[in-house]
Amino acid sequence: MTAYIFRRLLQAIPLVFGILTLVFVILQVAPGDPMAIYMHPSVAPEVLEQMRENYGLDQPVHIQYVRWLKSFLSGDLGTSLTQNRPIAAILAERIPNTLLLSGTSLLLIFAIGIAIGIVQAVRQHSKLDHALTLGALFIYSMPSFWLGLMLILILAYRVHWVEWWPEALKFPPSGMDSVNYDLLSTWGKFTDRLDHLVLPSIALGVSSAASVARYTRSSMLEVIRQDYIRTARAKGLPERTVILKHALKNALLPIITLLGLYLPFLFSGAVLVEVVFAWPGMGRAIYDAIQQRDYPTVMATTFVFAVMVVIANLIADILYAVVDPRIRYERERR
Amino acid sequence: MRTGLFVIWGAVLLFAGCGEAERAEDSAAVPDAERYGGTAVVAASYEVNSMNQFASIDEISQELQNFVLLTTLIRYDEDLQPVPYLAERWDTATTRAGLRLTFQLRDDVSWHDGVPTTAHDVKFTFDRIKDPATAYPRASLLALYDSAVVSDSFTVALYLTRHPGFMDAWRTISPMPAHILGGVPPAGLRHHPFGSESPVGNGPFRFVEHRSGDRWVFEANPDFPEGLGGRPYVDRLVYRVIQEPTTLLGELIAGEVDVYLVVAPAQVAQIEANPGTEVVTYANRNYAFINWNGRRTFFQDPQVRRALTLAIDRGSIVEVARQGLGRVANGPVPPFHWAYHTDLEPLPYDPDSARALLEAAGWVDQDGDGVRERDVFKASFEIKTNPDATRQEILTLVQADLAKVGVDVRPRVQESQSLGQDIMSPERRFDAFLLGWRADFNLDDRIIFACSQLEGAYQWASYCNPRVDEILDRVAMMEDRSQALPLWHEYQEILRWEQPYTFLYYDVRANAVRQRIQDVQMDIRGDLLSVKNWWIAPADRR
């Protein structure tokens, strides 16, 4: 297994470099000028030229690429053109925030998705099944940023005018924590953070949860029809044990592969959801950097996203082997 | 489990909600000693660029620098006249080459690390601004300044060419700490960690924390001199970045945000209807305009440009797109400026005159397709703008208005940085565009309208009138306002007649404030002008 992981990681290196070079080229070809934020009659054109020179933007593209590559390989991610600070420092602040949000969403996706899928499979063709199918399709077709805005509009805004609405169901519309977070107790900090996670993680995860529910349903239905389930029932095992212990374990196998598919989806979804919820994560960093043509920051954030996706896929493959003993990544020794 | 969590959330929220009862108490009822304390949260949709004066130009960075973290040498009073701040007095003397301006600094202001603020800091800042390698964005502020000489720790003399409004620079430039940044090479100042990781100021608030993309936190500086108002009332000041206007409104209504800067016009009514929040408006320095590219045939004739302005119902634009937050503009000198021509009415909305003017200029619809032509040219062009909801709405209104007089407009919303590149390119890759400016207190329009600038980066209208050049050159050096005023008026009259831009409206800024924040004063000098006097009654604190 270790050799397999090592081989996969080695294979990822040219992939990540390919991505980065492509992004660099696209950025240079795309119209836009990072110095355009300084466009104002009081800013003399000579000053703009000097700024370009100070940032090295006056050099030909290939020189810029070589320079960037050189500092990148030596571990220096460069300085943000708009925030004027080391990108490494920005990433150190942002990465944990994105991982927290996508991690929570992931948990939500699988917990809710699998639970609903099981209920639907067990009660196939019932009214509940149809209602849940309809609901899942409805939610699945909603874009996350729009859903985010609707959640804010309803659960963080309109509810303030509804007198009977319970306080517990009013959520903060943005940010990771309250202004007085530093002054709260440890428990207070925990609940405050949780409170702030509710809306963004729902917005980010709910459509994937709907599709996990669909997959679980069909996978469960397939398993339930198998002979060994009939045997289990014939032995007189309670239905609960049959479903949750015997059927679910096998039904989950294809679901695990979904993990690898959803992680990149979560990271890209985070870009829009973080903007809507003012969540200070990587998604917003990359969004702002692209908007302002902050080239070095775009490169660094792309790099981090690429690495995250590669690792996520690897984790999914490993999990697959862990869950299904039939799968071996090592070459068989004879 | 989920129910349990909701109960906990509920408890937390209820607990947090205790201080939220809005109680706009009578200011007089709370004695001064009880006004100290609490946290004020300011939020807006834009990121703060830097606390470093050498690097930033954006409005919110300048506000935080000059009113919160640092101190300027002078401030403006309500009549926009200079009053002492870090400089307790100044005097001027005529020299052979021009003028010597001597500032006497207060001796009781210290940097937040304890080092006194001295004349050496002023000279250091001056020298770096003048050094082209620094690439200080607003270096033009000191274009006519020559040198700075320190005569003692708290006295600095500046040598300059006489010009009107020479004090204006010192309202917006805050001295930077020489003992921290003195050793940094000018080209490296911009990236110095001072800007966003470890700013050290000498103003009423000290830097506490910056979380990128999230917030800046400042705390009251207990050592701020009594002579400048002493320690601010609030303990902490937080600036939050929330990009999405709907989210920002939600935070304001929920009570998490106290001051929401630059409210979207469509949200004003909701904020006013909500108990506990109010909207503060004032005429600010921004104006919106459509720039006509004078290199295109259609826009070369002043008659045509005048017709375009007459055909656009600017009053409706202010009412519909800006919800009344604005005033129809008549030129590049906004009403706050002392030289504003009060008797000059903006061109009216008059489509009939517009049609007559276009016909007189030879633009007639010959083929009956509803769009005018002259020779082989069609009265059809593109107006670009950046993705801003209000501006997009304005473009739609302009398109409809101009269609009524036989002019075909194709609105195009283009992402800001690439629009900026098109506008700034020497080839001028645009027919027309809609944008806004912030006018300086010290107005000098030569860079946008002078013939000498025709190939310059900002002469987008390609407008040239020798009389305008003469006027602008003369008023730029004329210190006596009574002498300059007739010239300024003539300038505005010429521009009203020739319309190099269609000046749309002078902006009215709307900010939302929760009533628990007392003594908020916002005007053309700044949104955070009175931040050190803001206070929150003990019962209203978080």
Side-chain angles (χ1 to χ4, degrees):
Chain A
M1 191 61 132
T2 326
Y4 169 74
I5 294 173
F6 186 68
R7 203 166 61 238
R8 281 284 300 266
L9 286 177
L10 271 186
Q11 282 167 356
I13 292 174
L15 178 73
V16 169
F17 261 97
I19 293 172
L20 287 179
T21 311
L22 195 69
V23 170
F24 191 93
V25 172
I26 291 174
L27 275 178
Q28 295 294 335
V29 174
D33 176 5
M35 295 300 123
I37 52 168
Y38 295 104
M39 186 178 80
H40 188 273
S42 68
V43 183
E46 305 84 63
V47 174
L48 293 176
E49 276 314 307
Q50 183 67 47
M51 281 185 199
R52 284 198 185 91
E53 195 183 314
N54 290 0
Y55 285 126
L57 295 170
D58 56 336
Q59 300 293 322
V61 177
H62 62 280
I63 305 273
Q64 285 189 47
Y65 179 70
V66 173
R67 275 192 186 174
W68 170 80
L69 197 62
K70 227 167 112 182
S71 67
F72 178 77
L73 289 177
S74 63
D76 177 12
L77 293 175
T79 309
S80 159
L81 301 186
T82 50
Q83 297 192 40
N84 291 304
R85 57 190 292 223
I87 293 167
I90 299 174
L91 293 183
E93 279 179 27
R94 303 287 191 108
I95 293 175
N97 300 347
T98 292
L99 288 180
L100 176 68
L101 178 60
S102 5
T104 314
S105 272
L106 201 66
L107 217 65
L108 208 73
I109 290 172
F110 282 89
I112 297 181
I114 292 173
I116 292 180
I118 295 172
V119 172
Q120 281 191 285
V122 175
R123 305 242 184 286
Q124 199 195 0
H125 299 316
S126 68
K127 274 188 184 147
L128 181 68
D129 180 30
H130 293 311
L132 284 172
T133 302
L134 191 73
L137 283 175
F138 180 70
I139 286 172
Y140 185 68
S141 25
M142 266 193 283
S144 59
F145 64 90
W146 183 81
L147 178 65
L149 282 175
M150 290 306 114
L151 286 174
I152 291 172
L153 197 67
I154 297 164
L155 292 175
Y157 179 66
R158 292 276 172 215
V159 290
H160 287 277
W161 281 283
V162 183
E163 273 173 32
W164 52 266
W165 191 267
E167 280 293 319
L169 292 177
K170 292 178 186 171
F171 295 100
S174 75
M176 287 185 61
D177 42 45
S178 304
V179 173
N180 55 352
Y181 182 76
D182 300 333
L183 315 172
L184 294 174
S185 64
T186 316
W187 178 247
K189 280 181 179 168
F190 176 73
T191 50
D192 184 65
R193 181 58 57 83
L194 218 54
D195 205 17
H196 280 83
L197 267 168
V198 174
L199 297 188
S201 56
I202 290 178
L204 182 57
V206 82
S207 68
S208 303
S211 78
V212 167
R214 303 298 298 152
Y215 278 111
T216 312
R217 179 179 179 272
S218 65
S219 167
M220 266 309 257
L221 284 176
E222 227 167 81
V223 173
I224 286 176
R225 292 197 192 100
Q226 308 235 336
D227 291 345
Y228 77 95
I229 296 292
R230 196 180 306 130
T231 316
R233 284 189 179 133
K235 294 203 284 201
L237 281 178
E239 185 63 13
R240 202 185 178 80
T241 319
V242 174
I243 298 294
L244 293 183
K245 212 165 169 191
H246 294 250
L248 185 62
K249 217 170 175 183
N250 284 325
L252 277 186
L253 267 181
I255 308 295
I256 297 286
T257 47
L258 289 178
L259 182 78
L261 284 176
Y262 283 143
L263 276 173
F265 190 65
L266 273 183
F267 294 146
S268 58
V271 175
L272 294 173
V273 170
E274 284 179 6
V275 172
V276 169
F277 288 94
W279 190 270
M282 288 281 295
R284 266 188 60 205
I286 199 167
Y287 176 85
D288 293 343
I290 292 172
Q291 287 273 316
Q292 301 174 323
R293 301 294 188 278
D294 187 346
Y295 299 139
T297 310
V298 177
M299 298 303 294
T301 40
T302 312
F303 169 70
V304 174
F305 269 126
V307 169
M308 278 182 176
V309 169
V310 166
I311 292 178
N313 275 307
L314 184 61
I315 291 176
D317 286 349
I318 294 169
L319 270 181
Y320 204 38
V322 172
V323 185
D324 188 346
R326 287 170 302 181
I327 292 168
R328 291 276 173 275
Y329 291 121
E330 310 295 331
R331 208 168 284 158
E332 299 242 347
R333 288 197 190 107
R334 289 172 197 248
Chain B
M1 177 62 193
R2 285 176 78 194
T3 334
L5 275 181
F6 284 145
V7 171
I8 293 158
W9 286 325
V12 169
L13 282 172
L14 278 173
F15 186 67
C18 289
E20 282 304 311
E22 303 292 343
R23 223 182 305 242
E25 285 186 42
D26 188 9
S27 332
V30 181
D32 192 73
E34 286 174 26
R35 294 184 180 187
Y36 293 92
T39 300
V41 183
V42 179
S45 58
Y46 27 84
E47 182 79 69
V48 175
N49 191 304
S50 170
M51 283 302 121
N52 181 348
Q53 284 258 314
F54 296 123
S56 49
I57 181 173
D58 56 309
E59 193 176 341
I60 188 64
S61 295
Q62 286 182 39
E63 293 250 330
L64 288 172
Q65 289 161 11
N66 293 337
F67 296 123
V68 175
L69 186 73
L70 300 162
T71 53
T72 48
L73 291 182
I74 60 158
R75 282 194 167 185
Y76 275 172
D77 65 10
E78 283 179 2
D79 301 321
L80 305 183
Q81 294 303 312
V83 289
Y85 199 53
L86 178 61
E88 56 185 4
R89 61 175 184 278
W90 60 89
D91 56 60
T92 54
T94 308
T95 61
R96 200 179 307 158
L99 199 66
R100 186 184 66 220
L101 167 65
T102 313
F103 282 114
Q104 180 67 44
L105 305 189
R106 300 183 65 92
D107 58 6
D108 55 359
V109 177
S110 293
W111 297 103
H112 298 149
D113 58 6
V115 177
T117 304
T118 67
H120 296 284
D121 296 311
V122 179
K123 181 176 163 50
F124 159 74
T125 309
F126 179 91
D127 289 345
R128 286 296 182 273
I129 289 175
K130 291 299 282 181
D131 187 341
T134 310
Y136 178 67
R138 297 175 298 150
S140 59
L141 283 171
L142 297 182
L144 294 174
Y145 277 75
D146 184 50
S147 58
V149 177
V150 172
S151 37
D152 68 53
S153 291
F154 297 101
T155 314
V156 58
L158 302 156
Y159 292 86
L160 60 137
T161 311
R162 291 195 81 98
H163 61 287
F166 60 84
M167 288 294 281
D168 186 59
W170 304 106
R171 163 198 64 85
T172 177
I173 298 172
S174 294
M176 299 285 279
H179 68 287
I180 296 172
L181 298 171
V184 182
L189 275 172
R190 176 169 288 274
H191 320 142
H192 194 274
F194 180 92
S196 52
E197 283 170 13
S198 53
V200 175
N202 58 358
F205 288 90
R206 293 193 293 219
F207 169 79
V208 176
E209 183 193 16
H210 168 216
R211 280 194 243 157
S212 138
D214 185 16
R215 67 185 64 170
W216 290 76
V217 183
F218 302 91
E219 64 178 8
N221 170 16
D223 304 324
F224 199 61
E226 282 304 322
L228 293 178
R231 177 206 192 277
Y233 288 123
V234 293
D235 285 341
R236 293 203 310 162
L237 180 75
V238 179
Y239 176 82
R240 289 188 58 195
V241 189
I242 301 169
Q243 283 165 321
E244 182 53 50
T246 310
T247 318
L248 198 35
L249 180 62
E251 288 284 19
L252 178 81
I253 302 297
E256 282 289 308
V257 161
D258 299 313
V259 177
Y260 164 9
L261 298 179
V262 196
V263 171
Q267 295 177 335
V268 169
Q270 285 163 286
I271 294 169
E272 278 173 342
N274 177 56
T277 54
E278 61 190 9
V279 176
V280 178
T281 58
Y282 67 89
N284 71 355
R285 292 192 275 150
N286 299 350
Y287 63 85
F289 61 90
I290 301 177
N291 177 96
W292 311 111
N293 184 351
R295 292 186 189 172
R296 302 276 195 272
T297 318
F298 186 59
F299 302 118
Q300 275 165 2
D301 185 348
Q303 249 185 139
V304 170
R305 298 193 300 258
R306 202 160 60 244
L308 293 174
T309 305
L310 287 165
I312 297 172
D313 185 357
R314 294 176 293 165
S316 292
I317 287 178
V318 170
E319 284 315 311
V320 176
R322 293 281 308 165
Q323 311 275 321
L325 291 171
R327 170 173 167 185
V328 173
N330 60 1
V333 183
F336 75 81
H337 198 269
W338 63 270
Y340 175 68
H341 199 331
T342 41
D343 301 332
L344 194 68
E345 285 291 317
L347 289 179
Y349 170 55
D350 186 353
D352 291 330
S353 305
R355 285 186 201 103
L357 277 172
L358 286 168
E359 254 142 59
W363 293 89
V364 187
D365 179 16
Q366 282 151 343
D367 53 11
D369 65 349
V371 181
R372 293 168 188 272
E373 302 90 24
R374 196 181 74 185
D375 305 331
V376 291
F377 298 106
K378 251 182 136 52
S380 167
F381 55 87
E382 192 175 72
I383 306 185
K384 296 183 177 187
T385 196
N386 60 330
D388 170 286
T390 306
R391 290 192 181 145
Q392 293 179 35
E393 209 171 325
I394 294 174
L395 271 197
T396 314
L397 295 170
V398 168
Q399 183 187 28
D401 281 343
L402 292 183
K404 288 180 202 153
V405 297
V407 174
D408 173 44
V409 171
R410 298 182 304 279
R412 179 159 169 209
V413 179
Q414 196 177 337
E415 179 273 327
S416 300
Q417 310 297 309
S418 78
L419 178 63
Q421 195 182 30
D422 282 357
I423 290 176
M424 295 289 278
S425 74
E427 309 86 49
R428 307 256 154 86
R429 291 191 291 258
F430 60 87
D431 299 329
F433 63 81
L434 161 63
L435 280 183
W437 278 151
R438 187 157 51 131
D440 284 321
F441 284 116
N442 213 8
L443 216 52
D444 183 352
D445 284 343
R446 284 178 292 186
I447 199 158
I448 49 177
F449 292 134
C451 301
S452 60
Q453 294 292 325
L454 275 175
E455 298 305 315
Y458 294 103
Q459 237 278 32
W460 301 317
S462 298
Y463 171 75
C464 178
N465 179 337
R467 177 60 188 158
V468 165
D469 281 18
E470 191 190 334
I471 293 173
L472 290 178
D473 282 339
R474 283 179 64 193
V475 293
M477 301 310 284
M478 207 175 262
E479 284 181 85
D480 183 350
R481 287 186 174 182
S482 61
Q483 264 190 319
L485 193 62
L487 289 170
W488 275 111
H489 282 184
E490 189 187 343
Y491 167 62
Q492 292 167 74
E493 284 156 16
I494 296 175
L495 256 62
R496 179 179 179 271
W497 191 246
E498 302 200 317
Q499 297 286 320
Y501 293 173
T502 287
F503 297 93
L504 292 174
Y505 59 86
Y506 303 119
D507 196 62
V508 169
R509 166 76 51 88
N511 295 327
V513 181
R514 284 204 82 89
Q515 282 159 0
R516 66 193 205 100
I517 306 285
Q518 310 273 351
D519 286 349
V520 175
Q521 189 195 357
M522 295 169 168
D523 63 32
I524 194 154
R525 292 168 290 172
D527 293 328
L528 300 182
L529 174 72
S530 69
V531 66
K532 69 178 170 21
N533 303 329
W534 293 1
W535 61 274
I536 308 164
D540 295 341
R541 288 173 199 153
R542 281 192 172 77

